[in-house]
Amino acid sequence: MDTIVTALSALYPAFIEGAQGYMLLAFRAVVGFLFILHGLPKIQNLQTWSKALGAPLPLCFLSAGFMIVGGTGLIIGLLTPFASLSILVSMIYALVLEVIDGLPIVAPDPYELGEFYSGPNGDKGEPPSMEKALIFTMMLTLLILFGPGAYSIDALLFG
């Protein structure tokens, strides 16, 4: 426990208050909620996701679990840098896979294409790109660097 207190104190000598603190609270809650929404279907369809990703089942389980547990930690502001880092690893992995696949940073807008994208399995929607993983990577990095703000459990416990 002392190690966690020391690490958080070193990362965040002061927790951001006022309007910026409230914005961090809202930002944390939205990002956490989004990751829970991303993690739940993955954990419920673990075999399918593992096969589609071409990744080992235990790795997919950890990734989806970190999205759910880390997302919950972000919402309440508990161990925020560790919650963010646990999910960030998955987002960086996703980015690496997308770079290897040669995906564009931003996909062409479906309206520019004249029709919706049709994937290899006939699925419709937007073409694949790095955009979502890149945005989530930046959001999680922001939370690691700026901290959870004064309106968090971290601030109550370690502030």
Side-chain angles (χ1 to χ4, degrees), residues 25-38:
L25 167 62
F27 185 73
R28 253 191 11 252
V30 169
V31 172
F33 180 68
L34 290 174
F35 274 110
I36 291 170
L37 291 179
H38 278 282

Side-chain angles (χ1 to χ4, degrees), residues 30 34 49 63 65 72 76-77 86 89 92 101 103 113 130 137 142 146 151 155:
V30 169
L34 290 174
W49 185 48
S63 178
T72 303
I76 63 175
S86 70
V89 170
I92 291 171
D101 287 347
L103 297 180
L113 299 173
M130 292 184 238
T137 296
L142 183 141
F146 286 88
Y151 313 109

Side-chain angles (χ1 to χ4, degrees), residues 107-128:
D109 192 287
Y111 302 105
E112 288 179 332
L113 299 173
E115 61 183 59
F116 280 103
Y117 167 79
S118 189
N121 298 323
D123 49 331
K124 304 270 186 214
E126 293 191 14

Side-chain angles (χ1 to χ4, degrees), residues 75-134:
I75 289 171
I76 63 175
L78 179 63
L79 302 176
T80 303
F82 305 111
S84 297
L85 186 60
S86 70
I87 304 169
L88 182 61
V89 170
S90 292
M91 292 299 97
I92 291 171
Y93 181 69
L95 272 173
V96 167
L97 291 179
E98 291 163 353
V99 167
I100 289 170
D101 287 347
L103 297 180
I105 292 173
V106 176
D109 192 287
Y111 302 105
E112 288 179 332
L113 299 173
E115 61 183 59
F116 280 103
Y117 167 79
S118 189
N121 298 323
D123 49 331
K124 304 270 186 214
E126 293 191 14
S129 71
M130 292 184 238
E131 184 175 2
K132 201 167 23 172
L134 182 59

